[in-house]
Amino acid sequence: MQKDIYDRIISFLQGASWAIVLIGAFFTFKFSLLLGISFSIFSTIFYIIFSLFLVLLLDAFRVNKERLQEAKKQTKLLEELTQNS
């Protein structure tokens, strides 16, 4: 099954987002460590939560796209059923 350009872009962005979450968490912790261990842990957790929210947002785009495609299929089937009756 071939993916359209929208699915490819969303897949790429999801992979890139996970990489940004992991690398960003490391650098956030490393650079904020100068301000104290408790602040660096807090800022890293805040960064991770915010980044994961953005990853979930990308996943919501994909789910809504799939829902729209399924609704189009169901509408087409219902139109065919009503025309045959």
Side-chain angles (χ1 to χ4, degrees), residues 11-23:
S11 295
F12 173 76
L13 288 176
Q14 279 184 326
S17 296
W18 281 108
I20 289 171
V21 168
L22 294 175
I23 294 170

Side-chain angles (χ1 to χ4, degrees), residues 1-82:
M1 187 167 130
Q2 262 194 344
K3 291 183 176 182
D4 62 345
I5 190 73
Y6 180 82
D7 289 331
R8 289 181 184 177
I9 291 172
I10 294 296
S11 295
F12 173 76
L13 288 176
Q14 279 184 326
S17 296
W18 281 108
I20 289 171
V21 168
L22 294 175
I23 294 170
F26 173 73
F27 283 118
T28 301
F29 182 78
K30 186 175 179 179
F31 291 133
S32 63
L33 194 57
L34 300 172
L35 300 173
I37 188 78
S38 60
F39 178 75
S40 65
I41 290 173
F42 174 75
S43 63
T44 304
I45 290 173
F46 181 75
Y47 174 81
I48 289 172
I49 290 171
F50 182 72
S51 300
L52 289 178
F53 174 74
L54 296 177
V55 170
L56 286 176
L57 189 65
L58 284 173
D59 193 40
F61 287 144
R62 177 179 282 177
V63 169
N64 284 334
K65 170 88 167 149
E66 290 175 3
R67 185 182 303 159
L68 177 64
Q69 289 175 346
E70 189 65 33
K72 286 181 180 179
K73 288 179 190 175
Q74 291 176 2
T75 302
K76 185 177 178 181
L77 287 173
L78 284 173
E79 287 175 352
E80 289 176 6
L81 284 174
T82 54

